[in-house]
Amino acid sequence: MTKLSEQEKQELLDDAASPARRIDFRTLDTNANLAPDEYIAFLDWAYPYMTEKHEDRAPITGVFLL
């Protein structure tokens, strides 16, 4: 897993503390029922931001219950 820099950690904390961002996430949660084509469009948009290679992660060991 990629480790976050101190700046990235601070950005995430600032983002989480933002009232406007909380409203955005609440709106996303309310509108979570995406049509399949909308979901695929989102994945197509998000794909360039997924830069971590699976080869860079250690294998999962043990039991993980979700």
Side-chain angles (χ1 to χ4, degrees), residues 15-48:
D15 199 31
S18 165
R21 197 64 151 156
R22 288 176 186 237
I23 291 170
D24 291 341
F25 277 106
R26 193 172 298 118
T27 301
L28 285 173
D29 186 46
T30 303
N31 298 324
N33 297 323
L34 294 176
D37 58 332
E38 293 172 316
Y39 183 62
I40 291 171
F42 166 75
L43 292 177
D44 286 340
W45 171 84
Y47 181 74

Side-chain angles (χ1 to χ4, degrees), residues 2-65:
T2 303
K3 291 188 177 186
L4 298 176
S5 69
E6 291 303 316
Q7 179 182 353
E8 290 169 322
K9 289 177 188 177
Q10 189 58 49
E11 288 174 357
L12 285 173
L13 291 172
D14 293 344
D15 199 31
S18 165
R21 197 64 151 156
R22 288 176 186 237
I23 291 170
D24 291 341
F25 277 106
R26 193 172 298 118
T27 301
L28 285 173
D29 186 46
T30 303
N31 298 324
N33 297 323
L34 294 176
D37 58 332
E38 293 172 316
Y39 183 62
I40 291 171
F42 166 75
L43 292 177
D44 286 340
W45 171 84
Y47 181 74
Y49 301 103
M50 300 176 203
T51 58
E52 184 180 29
K53 296 177 185 173
H54 71 277
E55 297 90 2
D56 295 340
R57 287 184 262 137
I60 297 174
T61 58
V63 177
F64 290 86
L65 302 174

